[in-house]
Amino acid sequence: VKIQSMDVLVTHILAQPPHRKGKYIALDSLLYSIGATKLIQLTESQESEPLVSSFVQEIGNRGNNANSVAELLGKFLSLLREEMHTKAGIDLNRVGESKKERRKKEKQTSEEILRKTINQNEDDMRLLPSWINVWVQPFASALLCSRPSRQSHISSYCLPLIATMVGGTARKVDASHCFAALLNEVNLMGEADSVLWAKLEIIHHANKLLKSNCCSKFLRNEISNAITLDTLKMALIHESSKIRLVAFQTMNP
């Protein structure tokens, strides 16, 4: 009965108009009680717009709710990552250990486990594609909206969330993979100026968070595919001041 009443309460909250700030404050307070997976299920039962898309769109509206929605979105995607990886049998705490911690534990394990750990590539993809698919398309589409002011607003709120989504700034390899996935998604959307700006903006935010020494091979490859040297030179002298600025920022994180 308690679970059913919680479902009814959350369903009622989800049905509130998107401009109501109390909607996001209430969802934030109930998120860890209801769970991220269950929240998606309740949203789908209402045949509503996908949860991540609705959150990103509300952030883009540049209203008073942007901070509340962005904070909720970061927590939601982080919790969903934990739930999906746990269901898949992936120990995120093990993945997030530092090299020093791993070496200490390796000394206490059997030789077989030790060999497996040594053979692991630190650069291997450790995030479920199914989790990435939940947010990557809504983020990419929002960055390519037709209104420049909305683009910038979404970028300034959503791209920094990647650190929160992967479990904190210490998980730089996972964050690098997220930036790579987003860059790949945007790169598939053509060659318009909006696409060029979005690609440069993603690289700029990735550089700020990760620095060059934490850039995974996935991100390096995506950057090479997305922005050639000639493209960068062209962006630096582009007729759009917005593109010129982000191109310069990309070179000087």
Side-chain angles (χ1 to χ4, degrees):
V1 176
K2 183 177 180 181
I3 294 176
Q4 291 178 341
S5 62
M6 177 70 78
D7 289 358
V8 171
L9 173 60
V10 174
T11 300
H12 175 71
I13 295 170
L14 288 169
Q16 298 302 303
H19 64 272
R20 291 195 174 179
K21 187 174 183 177
K23 172 180 181 176
Y24 307 104
I25 295 174
L27 288 175
D28 190 299
S29 65
L30 294 172
L31 178 61
Y32 294 100
S33 297
I34 194 70
T37 304
K38 184 65 174 180
L39 195 55
I40 290 177
Q41 293 171 353
L42 292 174
T43 304
E44 292 174 343
S45 69
Q46 293 184 313
E47 299 183 354
S48 303
E49 181 181 18
L51 202 59
V52 174
S53 295
S54 66
F55 286 168
V56 172
Q57 290 304 313
E58 183 58 28
I59 290 172
N61 288 337
R62 305 182 68 195
N64 296 328
N65 296 337
N67 283 323
S68 298
V69 181
E71 185 175 353
L72 172 60
L73 178 57
K75 291 178 181 178
F76 165 77
L77 287 173
S78 178
L79 180 59
L80 182 64
R81 176 184 57 86
E82 293 176 7
E83 292 176 0
M84 293 178 72
H85 284 74
T86 298
K87 184 177 180 181
I90 299 172
D91 186 352
L92 286 174
N93 291 326
R94 180 73 175 93
V95 167
E97 290 172 351
S98 67
K99 290 183 179 179
K100 183 177 180 180
E101 290 170 331
R102 282 197 295 274
R103 291 194 186 104
K104 183 178 180 180
K105 287 188 176 182
E106 283 165 2
K107 293 179 181 179
Q108 302 169 356
T109 61
S110 66
E111 291 184 3
E112 181 181 357
I113 295 178
L114 179 59
R115 282 196 302 271
K116 289 181 180 179
T117 305
I118 292 174
N119 290 331
Q120 284 179 341
N121 187 341
E122 290 293 326
D123 219 19
D124 285 346
M125 172 64 80
R126 300 177 292 192
L127 298 172
L128 288 174
S130 54
W131 174 75
I132 290 175
N133 290 340
V134 171
W135 59 266
V136 71
Q137 198 279 331
F139 275 38
S141 296
L143 286 170
L144 297 177
C145 67
S146 59
R147 291 163 50 193
S149 59
R150 186 180 179 91
Q151 280 183 315
S152 298
H153 194 72
I154 289 172
S155 171
S156 64
Y157 276 93
C158 290
L159 294 183
L161 286 181
I162 286 178
T164 302
M165 289 157 45
V166 299
T169 55
R171 295 179 181 268
K172 293 185 182 295
V173 173
D174 290 343
S176 182
H177 291 155
C178 287
F179 280 114
L182 183 57
L183 186 57
N184 176 70
E185 186 74 15
V186 170
N187 198 36
L188 296 174
M189 295 183 173
E191 299 180 358
D193 285 350
S194 60
V195 175
L196 174 59
W197 174 85
K199 291 190 292 187
L200 290 168
E201 186 75 357
I202 292 167
I203 296 170
H204 169 52
H205 278 269
N207 286 341
K208 285 200 301 183
L209 176 63
L210 302 172
K211 309 302 181 185
S212 58
N213 61 330
C214 293
C215 182
S216 72
K217 65 180 180 182
F218 294 99
L219 183 53
R220 289 194 297 271
N221 290 340
E222 289 301 334
I223 291 174
S224 298
N225 291 334
I227 302 291
T228 64
L229 182 58
D230 287 342
T231 301
L232 183 57
K233 289 178 179 178
M234 180 271 292
L236 288 168
I237 57 173
H238 199 279
E239 62 181 1
S240 167
S241 60
K242 186 176 180 180
I243 290 178
R244 293 198 304 271
L245 174 61
V246 72
F248 179 78
Q249 291 172 330
T250 298
M251 295 181 63
N252 300 276

